[in-house]
Amino acid sequence: MKYSHKTRIGNWSEEWELEETKLKDFLKSKDGKNLQSAKLQSKLDQSLIRASLTYSKDGYLHFGDRIMCLNKKTNGYLVTDVYDPIATNDEAYNVSTSQKAFPCARSVFIVKKYEQDLYNDNLVHYG
């Protein structure tokens, strides 16, 4: 007697019922958008929502400005996935560069002021 992948051993009714249950669960997850691929696509869609940039009338960078950062070496814009934090003691996220970036939730950053800033104005000082 030969056994193939379709040969039922033991309680074949339970095996058949288990397969049916798995299929029903999969279809239910698919319809309810609970599949892992649907969750990932939803996160990607949220991170690609268009965002606005700040135009500086005086030519200076101010705290609160919405900017994109360009890396001259890679010729790509800094991007991050805010829906995928790194497990550390502090708030941290992976970043990379993308040459096809546009102003969106993952590529626009808001310049924040350090609490112990020595300057009283709203301009960013560096150097």
Side-chain angles (χ1 to χ4, degrees):
M1 175 180 246
K2 288 188 172 184
Y3 292 101
S4 70
H5 70 283
K6 292 186 178 185
T7 302
R8 303 283 183 183
I9 299 175
N11 193 343
W12 60 268
S13 178
E14 284 182 9
E15 288 181 25
W16 180 81
E17 188 66 33
L18 180 62
E19 288 176 12
E20 287 293 314
T21 302
K22 285 181 182 180
L23 179 61
K24 287 178 184 176
D25 288 345
F26 171 77
L27 293 175
K28 182 179 176 184
S29 294
K30 181 180 173 187
D31 292 340
K33 305 223 184 231
N34 290 329
L35 293 178
Q36 189 66 21
S37 60
K39 289 178 184 179
L40 291 173
Q41 185 62 45
S42 175
K43 287 181 180 181
L44 180 62
D45 291 344
Q46 290 176 357
S47 66
L48 294 177
I49 293 174
R50 291 217 174 252
S52 61
L53 297 174
T54 304
Y55 174 75
S56 176
K57 293 179 182 178
D58 61 6
Y60 293 110
L61 183 61
H62 300 86
F63 293 109
D65 283 355
R66 300 169 65 87
I67 63 170
M68 290 178 67
C69 299
L70 177 67
N71 182 321
K72 288 292 189 177
K73 187 171 185 175
T74 64
N75 201 28
Y77 290 95
L78 185 69
V79 294
T80 187
D81 185 5
V82 295
Y83 300 105
D84 191 18
I86 299 172
T88 64
N89 292 336
D90 297 322
E91 184 177 4
Y93 303 91
N94 286 320
V95 295
S96 61
T97 60
S98 173
Q99 294 177 345
K100 297 181 181 180
F102 59 93
C104 63
R106 71 184 306 236
S107 65
V108 173
F109 298 89
I110 300 173
V111 181
K112 297 281 187 171
K113 190 171 191 170
Y114 180 61
E115 295 92 19
Q116 299 175 5
D117 190 13
L118 301 175
Y119 301 97
N120 291 328
D121 58 10
N122 203 28
L123 295 175
V124 174
H125 299 268
Y126 60 94

